[in-house]
Amino acid sequence: MARIVIADDDADIRELVVFKLRHAGHEVLPVADGSAAVEACLADKPDLVILDVMMPGMSGLDAARALRDNPAMSGVPIIMLTARAQESDVEQGFDAGADDYVVKPFSPRELASRVAAVLGEDS
């Protein structure tokens, strides 16, 4: 299956996502902020990145832009997983380079389906 980096400053959300994605057979690397996500991605290119928008230090939007600006990471899909649900927030996520946008609270089953869809897998 896929190697996935998940960045969220909320440990409970990280643990839930890690549990669900590992249960689906993925290798998951959880980190707590955007800069750690960028570092993890550049150290060992993942198949997918899941980013919270609002994190201390580097936001998920800034992390997405940094990843999109790196030629080695340009084709790696990014899913934003965030409580920011306004139309302008969604637009900012896509403008930063997101391939999908999931609003919290979210269904772990729906997230797993969206991960499969972005990765081009049968769910």
Side-chain angles (χ1 to χ4, degrees):
M1 286 288 190
R3 291 183 41 261
I4 301 171
V5 171
I6 165 72
D8 198 307
D9 59 324
D10 184 321
D12 292 334
I13 298 286
R14 269 197 324 269
E15 289 173 18
L16 173 64
V17 172
V18 167
F19 175 81
K20 185 64 179 174
L21 295 179
R22 284 186 178 156
H23 184 73
H26 299 293
E27 178 186 331
V28 185
L29 175 62
V31 296
D33 59 52
S35 58
V38 171
E39 287 176 25
C41 291
L42 297 180
D44 194 11
K45 184 178 175 182
D47 299 303
L48 172 66
V49 183
I50 300 174
L51 300 170
D52 182 17
V53 170
M54 297 180 292
M55 294 184 285
M58 179 183 272
S59 74
L61 294 173
D62 290 337
R65 288 184 194 101
L67 293 172
R68 287 293 178 240
D69 286 345
N70 185 309
M73 291 297 301
S74 63
V76 175
I78 297 172
I79 296 176
M80 305 305 288
L81 179 64
T82 179
R84 308 230 13 182
Q86 298 294 323
E87 184 177 342
S88 61
D89 297 321
V90 176
E91 189 174 299
Q92 284 181 327
F94 285 114
D95 287 347
D99 296 279
D100 200 354
Y101 196 97
V102 179
V103 177
K104 297 175 187 173
F106 64 96
S107 155
R109 182 177 291 157
E110 178 189 359
L111 178 63
S113 294
R114 291 199 186 206
V115 164
V118 167
L119 291 172
E121 301 173 345
D122 293 329
S123 49

